[in-house]
Amino acid sequence: MPALTVSTMPKGKIEFIDSHIPSLESGLYTVSVSQSVTTKRSAAPTVSRPYSAEHDFFIAGERFVLDPTEVVSVFPPRGNNGDHGNVIPHVILKRSTLPWERCRAGAPETEPWLALLVVHEGDPVQLSTHNVSALRSERATGSSTDGMVLPGYVAEPGDDPDARISVLSMPRSYANALIPPEQVRALTAHVRRPMNDNSEPDGLDQAVVIATRLPRPGATTTAHLVSIEHLDSRVDPVRLVSLYNWSFSCPSDEAYLVTPSVVQAIGRKTDLSIEELKAVTKIADAGEIIGAKNFQDALKRAIGKKRSDQFFVEIASSAAHTRESFKGLILNLDRQPSSPGVGSEQSGVLGQYLRLGSTILPHLTRQGDQLQTWYRGPLAPGPVEVDNPLPAQTADQLLHYNPEIGMFDATYAAAWELGRLLAITDPTINEPVALWKTRHAQHQVAQSDTKARHLPLQRGYTADELGVPKPLEGALNRLRLLHGVPFWYLIPDERMLPVESIRFFQIDAGWIRAMLDGVMSIGRVTPADLQRDRELESYWRDDTPRTGFLLRSHVVAGWPEFQIDGYRDTIEHDHFVPSQERLDIVRKDRLAPDTMICVFDGVVMTTDLHLRPETIHFGLDRLAGQPGRFRKELRNNKGEEVASTAIDDVPFRNSKNQLIVDLAKFKGMIENELGLNVGTLSPSQFALEMIEGVEKIRLRISG
């Protein structure tokens, strides 16, 4: 059986740029033109009276409302309920200059006028809506209710007085903790430029604004993109215009899941005995366990309390499982066996059946006998050599009997009968089949009866007319890719595809031929029909090798648009591979909320799984078993994580419970760790250090 190995590698290339300062910021401008003419007609040159003109114009950028089309994407996704407790939210904007198109009075031009504030459920924040006409720069004398006060507000040309705007009101102390200090605000915005494999720009530059606060586990979080153009932190309450917002949530704590790969990892890093590891395996019956303490308690009950608490903390880290972490889920997938099958150490014929993915199912014969019969779906671990008597008149002709074990194998008989049932119940299949076969029968008669060739119905057909009709060809192509085949025909035993697993396969061409022969068996009654169908097989037979994989994981539900690249060679290195060497994907479908199938046109030996560029996000690394504590592995100038270079305890402002990163202190720690001069960490460097999810996961098949 082929072996499956996995490694991570960088995904694509992104260039980070500090900022895109526009040539002109939003505001009022005046163009002045002056012209004078000098003549030399006389001995003394004369100068005409100067002509001058002035023209005022106003550049009106976004101010109170952001067109939703300007937002390319957000992370975490809107409405998503996943484990985002270590994610720093961000928003990607279509226009790369947008965060710098305005400027706070007295601020450097590199400071963005937009900030992304993360508000937790229950925070002292009020959101209200008002007309622009209600805005005031200060409270009117003698009135406590006259309009909405925004300190420093000045009306601009182009303001729509009837436009509705959203305003956040919050206590000054809360705002001062939430909004980054002036000296580090430039770090919260940068420009992202996608690059191709040749290090050339591959798409439009886009602006990114990131927050400085983590979501709170077990609560709803709302991210607000606010204007700080007129921020005055001396007033109380502080009011900010929210141009755009979205909400999401995350579970209350870390999740833990025991899989075979987790047990193997625990076995490698500890001295647990075989019996103790078996006890750990039984924890898997409970599925996911939420909370570090709950999981550690389960471990203690399983293997006893003879070990120290630190021991249980360390081995719990092997099972730390983030339901919505793409990288973590893929790396912890159950990959053994590598192809559909329950796996077996059995030798002889029985072991061969099990390793091929066969299972034993009840079989009721035409005579009423109840048997136990082998069955295998079309998803085999590799090429299958079989000699089926096709075309067949009945499914029974495709039953294989193994005298060594005294059992039938109904694999190809079931495929043939399924094809026949699909054709009978689907008019888009049976009608074209009947018409096409009738046309060939008429042509055969016309060719054999020369005396009747002058009759209209006996004229024969051209080669194009005798070809497979396009509707039928489309239907057969879909069946070749297993469209419409019930899932239990693909995976007859759930143990072949457990939760959080991936299984690679090669579509058994013999199984497909048997199914399509069942489809084409419509109207096959006489020996002449059988002979004619034997001649027609060359029209629809297609032995192109096709391979792929089944994936059953939270990845499918959490990231339905994740990307897949397949290659025909076993790629031993972890470098980029030119796109022209990729295999074509001929099918990629979700079969269930957490299950998908992917089929390649050819034999795949290496598969890369990765996220779309817009789902690349920013975040910290959890310290397993230590809720509320985070570290951050830093990167070298090539963007590669270096485990020995890290911030082991990320600092937070006020208290860790508020989850607001102390950006000024964090910046200094990064500069110190990377050997940079104080104050020299740029927005692009900071983005490079904070980026998460840039790896590809590379799966290789060998053997």
Side-chain angles (χ1 to χ4, degrees), residues 46 137 247 283 345 450-451 612 658 665:
T46 59
S137 61
S247 298
I283 299 177
E345 299 302 323
T450 57
K451 295 181 179 179
R612 286 180 178 272
Q658 291 192 14
K665 187 179 293 185

Side-chain angles (χ1 to χ4, degrees), residues 231-467:
L231 173 66
D232 187 347
S233 56
R234 298 169 298 177
V235 301
D236 197 4
V238 173
R239 294 192 174 97
L240 302 169
V241 174
S242 175
L243 288 83
Y244 186 84
N245 69 79
W246 78 97
S247 298
F248 53 92
S249 58
C250 57
S252 60
D253 206 341
E254 286 189 61
Y256 294 81
L257 183 67
V258 174
T259 64
S261 59
V262 167
V263 175
Q264 292 173 10
I266 293 175
R268 286 193 300 268
K269 67 193 297 187
T270 67
D271 59 353
L272 290 179
S273 66
I274 300 281
E275 294 303 318
E276 288 173 323
L277 287 174
K278 287 182 178 179
V280 173
T281 303
K282 293 180 180 178
I283 299 177
D285 296 338
E288 282 186 336
I289 298 178
I290 304 299
K293 186 178 184 304
N294 292 335
F295 186 72
Q296 292 169 27
D297 289 344
L299 285 172
K300 291 177 181 179
R301 289 192 298 270
I303 63 178
K305 299 183 179 180
K306 302 174 184 177
R307 310 289 181 133
S308 66
D309 289 342
Q310 184 59 31
F311 174 84
F312 289 105
V313 169
E314 290 176 357
I315 66 173
S317 65
S318 298
H321 163 71
T322 306
R323 282 178 292 177
E324 298 287 340
S325 167
F326 180 85
K327 177 182 175 182
L329 285 172
I330 296 295
L331 290 179
N332 288 293
L333 284 174
D334 178 354
R335 302 186 296 274
Q336 298 298 329
S338 60
S339 55
V342 296
S344 175
E345 299 302 323
Q346 289 276 113
S347 59
V349 177
L350 182 60
Q352 292 176 9
Y353 273 102
L354 292 173
R355 285 188 289 274
L356 278 173
S358 298
T359 189
I360 297 175
L361 298 177
H363 177 197
L364 183 64
T365 68
R366 297 181 190 276
Q367 291 76 27
D369 297 327
Q370 294 185 354
L371 305 176
Q372 296 295 310
T373 301
W374 288 104
Y375 170 76
R376 173 181 53 76
L379 310 181
V384 179
E385 298 296 332
V386 65
D387 184 19
N388 283 319
L390 298 177
Q393 287 190 306
T394 66
D396 289 349
Q397 289 181 260
L398 302 180
L399 280 172
H400 290 240
Y401 181 72
N402 191 322
E404 189 173 345
I405 56 175
M407 295 180 68
F408 283 102
D409 185 340
T411 295
Y412 299 105
W416 191 93
E417 192 63 34
L418 172 65
R420 186 173 178 85
L421 291 173
L422 290 174
I424 290 174
T425 57
D426 189 347
T428 64
I429 297 177
N430 57 48
E431 291 180 4
V433 169
L435 289 173
W436 183 56
K437 294 176 73 171
T438 299
R439 179 174 296 176
H440 272 271
Q442 292 174 344
H443 181 75
Q444 189 177 47
V445 171
Q447 294 300 107
S448 60
D449 190 356
T450 57
K451 295 181 179 179
R453 285 185 183 175
H454 64 284
L455 297 176
L457 296 179
Q458 302 294 340
R459 62 174 179 81
Y461 294 92
T462 65
D464 289 342
E465 292 173 326
L466 291 174

Side-chain angles (χ1 to χ4, degrees), residues 3 94 116 184 244 292 365 409 467 478 534 546 586:
K94 182 189 299 183
L116 189 61
V184 290
Y244 186 84
T365 68
D409 185 340
R478 287 182 56 80
R534 184 173 289 112
R546 295 184 177 92
V586 291

Side-chain angles (χ1 to χ4, degrees), residues 595-613:
T595 305
M596 69 162 294
I597 186 173
C598 179
V599 180
F600 299 97
D601 195 17
V603 178
V604 67
M605 298 301 292
T606 301
T607 303
D608 290 341
L609 309 178
H610 56 92
L611 298 175
R612 286 180 178 272

Side-chain angles (χ1 to χ4, degrees), residues 89-151:
H90 74 267
V91 56
I92 300 180
L93 305 172
K94 182 189 299 183
R95 202 160 67 244
S96 64
T97 59
L98 184 54
W100 302 277
E101 290 177 2
R102 292 181 175 273
C103 188
R104 186 175 58 86
E109 64 177 3
T110 55
E111 179 185 303
W113 69 281
L114 295 173
L116 189 61
L117 304 187
V118 170
V119 177
H120 294 161
E121 187 176 349
D123 279 0
V125 176
Q126 292 183 339
L127 180 65
S128 57
T129 58
H130 308 270
N131 285 348
V132 170
S133 59
L135 297 181
R136 303 286 185 271
S137 61
E138 59 183 2
R139 185 73 62 196
T141 303
S143 172
S144 60
T145 60
D146 185 17
M148 169 57 66
V149 174
L150 284 179

